[in-house]
Amino acid sequence: MKRLSRLARLVLELVVLLAIYQIGCEIAFWLNWPIPGGVIGLALLLAIFASGAVKPSSLQTGAGLLLAEMLLFFIPPLMSLLDYGALVRNEGWRIMLVIGCSTLMVMLVTAVTVEVVCRLKDRAAEGQA
């Protein structure tokens, strides 16, 4: 019975995450924004977490499963490279340069954001003490 309960919780968490993603896609479509629906969905999820309406731990199992199986989400794009072998041979170094630079930029922005948030939290904690 406990196993069934865990499975039901996992399915519910996955449905919630998928619904937030779908809402983000619909918002992007309705407003005709060039931002992907997944990014808008992540912003919605962040807003939900920040408002306190949902605790991040309540979606942890579903998110953990999606992260654990992330490789499955990348297999179709990798297989499509077989169709564009000439493009990869001719422009592959440029593509890799863009991927490398954008990954580095994301990592730097994330690191700076985490550092700023930690410092703000420390200041707020010192102000309360």
Side-chain angles (χ1 to χ4, degrees), residues 99-122:
I99 291 170
C101 289
S102 62
T103 301
L104 182 62
M105 289 173 56
V106 167
M107 292 172 73
L108 287 172
V109 168
T110 301
V112 169
T113 303
V114 168
E115 185 67 28
V116 167
V117 169
C118 287
R119 287 184 184 185
L120 288 173
K121 256 181 136 175
D122 289 344

Side-chain angles (χ1 to χ4, degrees), residues 3 10 39 49 100 108:
R3 183 178 173 145
L10 175 64
V39 174
F49 287 158
L108 287 172

Side-chain angles (χ1 to χ4, degrees), residues 5-7 11 15 17 20-23 27-28 39 41 53 55 59 71-72 74 77 84 88-90 101 127-128:
S5 172
R6 286 192 315 207
L7 180 63
V11 169
V15 166
L17 290 170
I20 293 171
Y21 166 75
Q22 190 62 40
I23 291 169
I27 290 172
V39 174
K55 293 183 181 178
L59 296 176
L71 180 61
L72 292 175
F74 288 107
Y84 298 100
V88 173
R89 279 191 296 278
N90 296 332
C101 289
Q128 291 178 355

